Amino acid sequence: MIRKFLESDKSDFLSMCMDFYSGEGVDHTIPVSYVEKTFEKIIYDGSPFCDAYMCERNGQSAGYILLAFTYSNEAGGDVVWIEELYTLPEARGTGVASELIDYVLDKYSNAARFRLEVTDENEGAVRLYRKKGFVPLKYNQMEILKNKQSML
C-alpha cells in the first residue's frame, strides 16, 4: 500500500532517512534537524513545494519517496524531483522502490519532467532508474548551500 505520510510516520521516516544519508545512495550526511524540518513542512505546513509517500508491506513501513516540485522553462512545464527514495534493507529486491516510482509517475503524469540524483556507486538504483526510463544528464549540477550546518 502506498499512501501520503501521516503524523504517526515520524519515527519511521526519521530512522529511514538517517539510514539513507549514511548509505551508498548519497555522498554526505545531513543533520537530523533537517529531517525533522522536512517532516514538519510536509505534515503541518502543507507546503506546495514538497510531499512524501510511505509504502507499507504487511502493515509495516517498507520505504518512502520524498518529492519536491518546481517549474522548468526548459522542460515546458512542471517538474517533479524525486529527492529521496529509500527502502528498508529487508524490503530491497521486493519491488517496493519500483512501486513507489510507478506510483509517482502515474500520480504526476501531467508533469513535463521527472528528475532525480544518483551516485555512480549506487549501481542497483541506477539500473532501476534506467529501467523506469530515466537517462543521465550531460551536465553537472552546482549549488550554493546557504543553510549549511555541521553535518553531524
Side-chain angles (χ1 to χ4, degrees), residues 45-108:
D45 294 353
S47 174
F49 301 110
C50 59
D51 209 352
Y53 296 88
M54 186 69 69
C55 183
E56 290 183 349
R57 289 281 171 92
N58 302 318
Q60 300 293 318
S61 297
Y64 73 89
I65 193 165
L66 180 63
L67 308 173
F69 306 104
T70 187
Y71 181 87
S72 170
N73 185 50
E74 178 183 26
D78 295 333
V79 177
V80 177
W81 275 87
I82 297 177
E83 283 285 319
E84 295 171 15
L85 174 59
Y86 176 84
T87 57
L88 289 170
E90 59 270 20
R92 293 180 188 152
T94 66
V96 169
S98 185
E99 288 177 37
L100 284 163
I101 291 171
D102 289 344
Y103 182 85
V104 167
L105 294 176
D106 182 59
K107 180 167 181 59
Y108 299 97

Side-chain angles (χ1 to χ4, degrees), residues 65-151:
I65 193 165
L66 180 63
L67 308 173
F69 306 104
T70 187
Y71 181 87
S72 170
N73 185 50
E74 178 183 26
D78 295 333
V79 177
V80 177
W81 275 87
I82 297 177
E83 283 285 319
E84 295 171 15
L85 174 59
Y86 176 84
T87 57
L88 289 170
E90 59 270 20
R92 293 180 188 152
T94 66
V96 169
S98 185
E99 288 177 37
L100 284 163
I101 291 171
D102 289 344
Y103 182 85
V104 167
L105 294 176
D106 182 59
K107 180 167 181 59
Y108 299 97
S109 62
N110 290 331
R113 174 188 281 166
F114 292 86
R115 280 185 82 166
L116 53 79
E117 297 174 344
V118 62
T119 60
D120 291 335
E121 296 79 19
N122 197 350
E123 294 172 0
V126 170
R127 279 192 306 276
L128 173 63
Y129 300 148
R130 284 181 181 266
K131 180 179 169 187
K132 294 297 179 182
F134 288 87
V135 295
L137 296 173
K138 296 183 183 198
Y139 52 85
N140 295 323
Q141 291 189 6
M142 300 170 76
E143 73 175 353
I144 295 175
L145 188 58
K146 295 181 81 167
N147 196 19
K148 191 166 188 165
Q149 293 182 5
S150 171
M151 300 297 181

